Each structure stands twice: as C-alpha cells, then as structure tokens.
Amino acid sequence: MYSGTEDVGRIRRRTFLDWLFGAGLAILSGTVLYPVLRYLIPPRVKEVTHTSVVAGKLSEMLPNSGKIFAFGGRPAILLRTPEGEVRAFSAVCTHLACTVQYRPDLRHIWCACHDGHYDLHGQVLSGPPPRPLEPYVVTIKGDDIIVSRG
Ligand code: FES
C-alpha cells in the first residue's frame, strides 16, 4: 500500500546522504589540494633590505683568514688576504649555490661541492663556476669591518 510519509522520509534521507557525501568529498579535496597548492606556490619571502652590516672586527681577522657571515639573508664571506687587505664577497657559489669558504692553505676561496676555485678578487681560477663571486664594498671604521653593497 502507498504511504506518502515513507517516500518523503526516503527523499529526505537521500538528500541528507547526498549532502553528507558532497561535504565529505569537499573536505577530502581540501585536505589533499591545500598542501599540494602550498607546495606549488611557495610563500612570499620578504626581501631583506639591509644594505650594510658590521661583518666583524679588524682585530679578530688575522691575515690569511676568512669567515662566513650573514648579509641580506644570504651567506657572505669576509677575508683578510695574506698581505692584510680586507675583502668581502657573496659566499654563494655561482655554479650551484653552495657556500664557498676561505682556504688558508691554498690562499684563495674554494667551493667544496664541485671543487670550484676563486682568487682573492672573487674571479674564477678553475672548476665549474661560470661567473665571479659578487663583490661587496668594505669600509673600516675603528675596529669595525662594515660591508655594504656597491
Ligand atoms: S656549487 Fe660550487 S663548484 Fe659547484
């Protein structure tokens, strides 16, 4: 026998189940898509606007030595030549962006990743780096070594 109440109940149950399925699908899509989109679209990194930094103390930099310091959110290298001159460069290797270091035994700048060599002016001596290191301006004020972009 026909019962109108039963049909209405079935329709309501069906509508509710459709809605529940749709909501579940939307939540599942969100939990999968959100991390994928966050990975594909990296967050904006604020550009650090420091144009100069005190990179070290002259009294602490012996001739034929070097040190890595942070400049504008990137590594930079400060070195004192065997003759006593102070120079600074970006420490980001122009090959594949490894951090270079000063080698007192070789008396020049070296990149350990692929054996890249730079002279004390940041020019490529040998190895795969395609360009010189970016030079920075060095100013000495008292005992402070101030490095700035040229
Ligand atoms: S990253 Fe420096 S030589 Fe390759």
Side-chain angles (χ1 to χ4, degrees):
M1 190 170 198
Y2 172 74
S3 165
T5 314
E6 233 175 71
D7 283 347
V8 170
R10 219 178 265 150
I11 290 170
R12 280 188 182 153
R13 200 173 323 141
R14 173 114 192 190
T15 305
F16 175 72
L17 288 175
D18 283 349
W19 179 86
L20 197 62
F21 179 73
L25 199 61
I27 290 170
L28 181 67
S29 300
T31 55
V32 171
L33 286 179
Y34 181 73
V36 170
L37 288 176
R38 291 290 300 178
Y39 177 76
L40 292 176
I41 306 166
R44 285 186 179 193
V45 177
K46 266 190 176 177
E47 182 65 29
V48 179
T49 55
H50 297 298
T51 54
S52 70
V53 66
V54 176
K57 301 283 182 195
L58 191 59
S59 58
E60 295 168 359
M61 290 289 296
L62 297 174
N64 195 30
S65 69
K67 76 174 228 183
I68 299 294
F69 65 99
F71 185 32
R74 293 180 172 212
I77 186 166
L78 181 67
L79 58 92
R80 193 153 186 199
T81 67
E83 294 74 34
E85 272 188 62
V86 181
R87 296 179 188 152
F89 303 92
S90 164
V92 179
C93 181
T94 58
H95 180 225
L96 293 176
C98 285
T99 301
V100 299
Q101 59 186 283
Y102 183 70
R103 286 272 306 262
D105 56 329
L106 299 173
R107 296 181 171 226
H108 65 238
I109 302 165
W110 176 65
C111 180
C113 285
H114 308 100
D115 199 28
H117 295 258
Y118 299 89
D119 69 13
L120 296 181
H121 296 278
Q123 300 295 316
V124 179
L125 287 172
S126 65
R131 292 179 311 281
L133 295 171
E134 181 188 355
Y136 296 142
V137 175
V138 173
T139 310
I140 311 287
K141 277 192 182 162
D143 197 31
D144 287 342
I145 303 170
I146 299 162
V147 173
S148 53
R149 295 186 196 282

